[in-house]
Amino acid sequence: MTDLSKYRNIGIFAHVDAGKTTTTERILSLTGKIHKTGETHDGEATTDFMEQERERGITIQSAATSCEWNGHRLNIIDTPGHVDFTVEVYRSLKVLDGGVGVFCGSGGVEPQSETNWRYANESEVSRIIFVNKLDRMGADFMRVVKQIETVLGATPLVMVLPIGREDEFSGVVDLLTRKAWIWDASGDPLKYTIEDVPADMADDVEEWREKLIETAVEQDDDLLEAYLEGNEPSVDDIKKCIRKGTNSMAFFPTYCGSAFKNKGMQLMLDAVVDFLPSPTEVKPQPEVDLEGNETGELAIVDPDRPLRALAFKIMDDRFGALTFVRIYSGRIEKGMTVLNTFTGKTERIGRIVEMHANDRIEHDSAQAGDIVAVLGMKNTQTGHTLCDPKDPATLEPMVFPAAVISMAIAPKDKAGAEKLALALGKMVQEDPSFYVSSDEDSGETILGGMGELHLDVKIDILRRTHKVEVVVGKPQVAYRETITQAVEDSYTHKKQSGGSGQFGKIDYVIEPGEPGSGYVFESKVTGGNVPREFWPAVEKGFKLMMDEGVLAGFPLMDFKVTLMDGAFHAVDSSAIAFEIAAKSAYRQTIPKCSPQLIEPIMKVDVFTPEDHVGDCIGDLNRRRGMIKSQEAGATGVRIKADVPLSEMFGYIGDLRTMTSGRGQFSMEFSHYLPCPKNVADAVIEETKARKAEQG
């Protein structure tokens, strides 16, 4: 049996282009997993094996791979950096115990790294930091360390200092041991020498070493006291303190190097083993009941307890659907039967494979702490819990963001219709932030997603992987409607048609809710004028109507209905009568509440060379953007703004034109805001015209 303390389940995450995939490649070659190292920019990286990834040079799916270092087993997940695929990062973090945040030595803390860092904080994942690309022009380790403090609000614990800058970068000084690791120019990671600290760095090394020890010993009162009395703790004691502080996220050990030139990687791998937690050291996952309330039980990582595993990713490949699972407790064996608590059905475990990017090694069993892929699962989807049928329990499920953009597609010919339905079914299983629905009025298939690039890649996958040709409509923004005024009103539903009739009278107030509150229902009826058993029917009636607003048919958001009073009839009143009363009340009253159209506002982060800042800001203003901040970096300026999604279509093309191809941007959904009247009128007109055409 494997010793769980020798396991490290880690993720590597960062901004696009900070070098995550290259870092993963280097780790694999250092640990002897691959002999020839592929490069992302040649489209040959081991973990980027989708055609779309190779072509665009970006990681789209998080790939899983395992390797050994210093007698420890590392399960590594390389996650995408692109903002449209943050769901991949989010779900990977959910099942990891630790992470390596990679930052670019010249770009520093970039927009996407902030989002990923925030996700990691929310998931309480301990991390070490690797500042990459120190051989690049404009690379500055200390500036990035400063940014980690100011932009991320984190405490970096500097563990090494770089020797030389930019193209002079030759190695690092390990502050704990006061030794210099110097690699030769061949790029071979194994060709290095360990020397004394260069004379011109001696003062800096002592200064930073002192800071390191001061921060670390705060984790242990006895050592702190001894240190203040002038006794320096041993290196092992300092390491224990660093491990404790890393696991409690008090600070983040920070390393530097160049993954591409193979410099500094060994120290970072040692840090993964020395400082990041094993599966048994992280806070166990809470178990929940079917309503989603915590039961107070925890899934403690132990192979001898009942089985608890979380399916965190479904991937379709040439061998069928692979279900990636993280096993929290118990063990799984080939051929055994497990219960999926979400569907209530049992599933048989087919083959169990350990993934090495695109290759696989078969196993007969796997146990707590492992991350493996299982073949042969029929009904299991992302976020489902697999458990022991004799001892069922559910793990806390994942929450995925709602789509902010949609587009209509149709197959080119009749033959494609069936293929399209099958392909979309598989794609929705793989990516829970990708939504598919059909518009009943027009019969069109509507795709929903996180952004233009997200849907663009999906259409590409349909064409190439699934060989389905589709006609693509214009992207549509997910507008919503809301109300701005409170209205008190009353509605009586009466119907008499031989036999027992229907009767229900309700007096109610409809008022605007807090942003993000959705639909809230409350009853203040006293004295039994509307019997308690009919309250749910009134609540349901309003709820069923909120999918269609009165302005242009967009879903209604953030409103509260309070049932004040009403009347019922001993014979003719029923739940259905009150539900119909509520539906009619919605149609009667919402138009009186001054409804307005609201639109999704995106948090946009633009990076541009200095000489194009004016053009970029002018352009964002034209797009109705609100500029939030500007920040000058070494290689350009970052502009943060809130911009309506409807104005951001095709932005990447315009940005490239304005900045001669050097600008980049990322955006993610932030909140909803009212549309200006002229925009709202145009959207309402267009929506009505579209409905009339389909009518």
Side-chain angles (χ1 to χ4, degrees):
M1 296 309 287
T2 323
D3 173 3
L4 281 176
S5 67
K6 298 271 195 277
Y7 268 54
R8 297 289 180 273
N9 289 322
I10 60 167
I12 294 188
F13 47 86
H15 184 77
V16 181
D17 265 358
K20 293 177 305 303
T21 305
T22 309
T23 305
T24 310
E25 287 287 312
R26 294 300 182 264
I27 291 175
L28 294 178
S29 70
L30 253 184
T31 53
K33 262 287 179 167
I34 47 178
H35 299 295
K36 174 188 176 297
T37 325
E39 300 307 343
T40 337
H41 49 83
D42 298 336
E44 285 177 358
T46 316
T47 48
D48 282 355
F49 50 82
M50 287 169 64
E51 278 181 47
Q52 290 77 4
E53 295 180 307
R54 294 197 164 160
E55 230 170 67
R56 295 166 195 248
I58 58 174
T59 305
I60 295 170
Q61 290 183 321
S62 34
T65 181
S66 321
C67 57
E68 301 265 330
W69 182 255
N70 282 358
H72 287 65
R73 175 193 167 108
L74 312 182
N75 288 325
I76 301 173
I77 293 189
D78 172 30
T79 60
H82 213 288
V83 69
D84 283 12
F85 310 104
T86 39
V87 61
E88 286 279 347
V89 179
Y90 172 69
R91 63 172 167 196
S92 304
L93 280 168
K94 180 90 179 147
V95 297
L96 295 171
D97 304 326
V100 179
V102 179
F103 296 100
C104 169
S106 60
V109 176
E110 292 168 287
Q112 195 53 41
S113 12
E114 273 182 72
T115 309
N116 292 343
W117 194 264
R118 198 177 66 239
Y119 279 157
N121 284 344
E122 285 168 11
S123 307
E124 296 182 5
V125 172
S126 357
R127 281 144 283 172
I128 58 173
I129 293 170
F130 183 65
V131 179
N132 190 17
K133 302 193 177 181
L134 277 194
D135 51 336
R136 285 275 280 275
M137 281 294 289
D140 181 344
F141 178 59
M142 285 308 157
R143 193 185 68 244
V144 182
V145 168
K146 194 90 202 109
Q147 281 188 338
I148 291 166
E149 288 174 5
T150 51
V151 180
L152 301 177
T155 308
L157 184 70
V158 176
M159 302 292 293
V160 298
L161 290 182
I163 303 172
R165 290 185 62 160
E166 299 178 352
D167 49 7
E168 305 276 297
F169 174 67
S170 61
V172 297
V173 173
D174 179 348
L175 293 176
L176 274 183
T177 57
R178 294 191 180 92
K179 289 288 176 206
W181 292 57
I182 294 173
W183 283 265
D184 76 7
S186 68
D188 183 337
L190 301 175
K191 290 192 176 158
Y192 60 88
T193 51
I194 295 183
E195 303 169 15
D196 290 329
V197 174
D200 60 342
M201 290 181 68
D203 294 348
D204 280 354
V205 168
E206 288 314 307
E207 181 193 332
W208 282 96
R209 189 168 191 271
E210 201 170 306
K211 277 190 194 170
L212 188 163
I213 296 172
E214 274 172 20
T215 311
V217 291
E218 283 174 8
Q219 299 295 317
D220 183 318
D221 294 344
D222 297 344
L223 287 177
L224 177 60
E225 212 169 296
Y227 181 66
L228 292 175
E229 286 165 8
N231 302 319
E232 184 179 296
S234 69
V235 168
D236 282 346
D237 281 343
I238 298 172
K239 280 189 169 177
K240 277 187 194 128
C241 289
I242 296 174
R243 186 178 180 91
K244 186 177 168 196
T246 306
N247 288 356
S248 65
M249 298 190 352
F251 47 70
F252 303 92
T254 301
Y255 290 81
C256 65
S258 158
F260 183 54
K261 298 269 170 56
N262 268 319
K263 292 174 182 169
M265 303 299 292
Q266 284 94 331
L267 287 95
M268 184 210 29
L269 278 172
D270 287 344
V272 167
V273 167
D274 288 344
F275 305 133
L276 288 180
S278 73
T280 52
E281 289 169 303
V282 286
K283 213 164 75 184
Q285 282 278 333
E287 292 180 6
V288 293
D289 60 20
L290 294 175
E291 273 70 56
N293 307 311
E294 293 193 13
T295 57
E297 289 288 314
L298 295 172
I300 293 164
V301 179
D302 177 353
D304 299 322
R305 287 173 67 98
L307 173 67
R308 306 278 182 265
L310 186 70
F312 67 98
K313 180 177 165 65
I314 313 283
M315 206 170 91
D316 203 59
D317 75 354
R318 55 189 190 280
F319 301 102
L322 286 172
T323 306
F324 281 86
V325 292
R326 160 75 200 262
I327 307 170
Y328 285 101
S329 66
R331 42 173 73 88
I332 57 171
E333 282 160 12
K334 204 166 148 179
M336 79 186 274
T337 302
V338 295
L339 172 72
N340 176 336
T341 52
F342 187 85
T343 58
K345 297 191 173 119
T346 53
E347 294 242 28
R348 217 173 135 270
I349 300 276
R351 287 152 54 205
I352 301 171
V353 291
E354 174 196 317
M355 294 300 289
H356 166 56
N358 210 12
D359 300 329
R360 57 202 57 208
I361 302 147
E362 292 220 17
H363 290 285
D364 289 333
S365 67
Q367 62 163 14
D370 277 331
I371 292 179
V372 290
V374 177
L375 280 106
M377 291 271 168
K378 300 268 184 300
N379 302 311
T380 300
Q381 294 192 3
T382 299
H384 289 184
T385 301
L386 303 174
C387 64
D388 183 340
K390 294 198 267 312
D391 188 347
T394 304
L395 295 167
E396 190 182 25
M398 304 182 189
V399 185
F400 296 108
V404 290
I405 177 173
S406 62
M407 78 176 33
I409 59 164
K412 277 217 167 130
D413 47 36
K414 279 277 188 327
E418 224 166 274
K419 266 168 81 179
L420 176 67
L422 275 174
L424 288 175
K426 284 181 179 171
M427 286 162 66
V428 167
Q429 277 197 325
E430 286 181 16
D431 178 356
S433 64
F434 174 57
Y435 298 88
V436 175
S437 58
S438 58
D439 185 328
E440 287 166 20
D441 304 333
S442 64
E444 288 176 316
T445 302
I446 311 286
L447 308 185
M450 298 295 105
E452 240 179 326
L453 177 69
H454 190 195
L455 293 185
D456 196 32
V457 167
K458 295 297 177 200
I459 303 270
D460 208 28
I461 292 175
L462 271 177
R463 289 192 172 134
R464 292 204 194 168
T465 315
H466 300 288
K467 308 280 185 280
V468 182
E469 281 301 321
V470 289
V471 185
V472 179
K474 213 172 84 189
Q476 300 293 333
V477 177
Y479 289 102
R480 295 282 181 267
E481 295 180 20
T482 189
I483 55 171
T484 56
Q485 249 175 331
V487 171
E488 192 166 335
D489 212 343
S490 171
Y491 187 85
T492 308
H493 170 65
K494 254 203 309 225
K495 194 171 172 200
Q496 214 55 52
S497 55
S500 65
Q502 289 181 351
F503 179 84
K505 174 175 189 287
I506 51 174
D507 299 340
Y508 52 90
V509 174
I510 297 183
E511 58 192 313
E514 287 294 310
S517 61
Y519 162 57
V520 179
F521 176 81
E522 188 187 350
S523 171
K524 289 188 175 168
V525 178
T526 50
N529 288 348
V530 177
R532 190 175 281 272
E533 68 260 28
F534 297 143
W535 295 357
V538 178
E539 179 176 2
K540 182 181 168 199
F542 280 106
K543 192 171 187 168
L544 287 172
M545 296 298 287
M546 63 185 276
D547 282 345
E548 194 145 329
V550 294
L551 289 173
F554 294 110
L556 191 71
M557 274 174 68
D558 304 337
F559 68 106
K560 179 179 179 184
V561 177
T562 310
L563 182 60
M564 305 303 279
D565 202 359
F568 80 108
H569 185 284
V571 178
D572 291 351
S573 283
S574 62
I576 198 85
F578 275 99
E579 188 183 313
I580 293 170
K583 286 179 173 173
S584 307
Y586 175 93
R587 279 193 286 264
Q588 167 183 299
T589 308
I590 294 290
K592 302 179 191 171
C593 296
S594 308
Q596 72 180 166
L597 204 61
I598 50 178
E599 59 184 346
I601 304 292
M602 308 304 278
K603 209 158 80 190
V604 179
D605 214 318
V606 182
F607 178 81
T608 164
E610 254 168 49
D611 36 354
H612 300 294
V613 175
D615 298 343
C616 285
I617 288 182
D619 179 67
L620 287 169
N621 284 332
R622 269 196 301 284
R623 295 173 188 269
R624 299 193 284 125
M626 277 270 302
I627 309 293
K628 283 289 173 65
S629 69
Q630 294 180 54
E631 218 176 286
T635 49
V637 176
R638 274 178 67 182
I639 304 165
K640 291 188 172 188
D642 287 349
V643 191
L645 174 64
S646 58
E647 305 287 345
M648 289 300 291
F649 290 135
Y651 180 62
I652 186 68
D654 296 353
L655 178 65
R656 284 188 180 140
T657 313
M658 271 184 301
T659 58
S660 328
R662 285 155 63 205
Q664 43 170 309
F665 86 105
S666 77
M667 68 174 183
E668 61 176 318
F669 171 69
S670 173
H671 56 282
Y672 275 94
L673 270 188
C675 288
K677 188 167 177 353
N678 58 336
V679 176
D681 292 347
V683 171
I684 293 167
E685 276 309 300
E686 192 191 331
T687 313
K688 285 187 175 156
R690 205 169 57 235
K691 289 196 168 160
E693 258 174 51
Q694 296 162 357

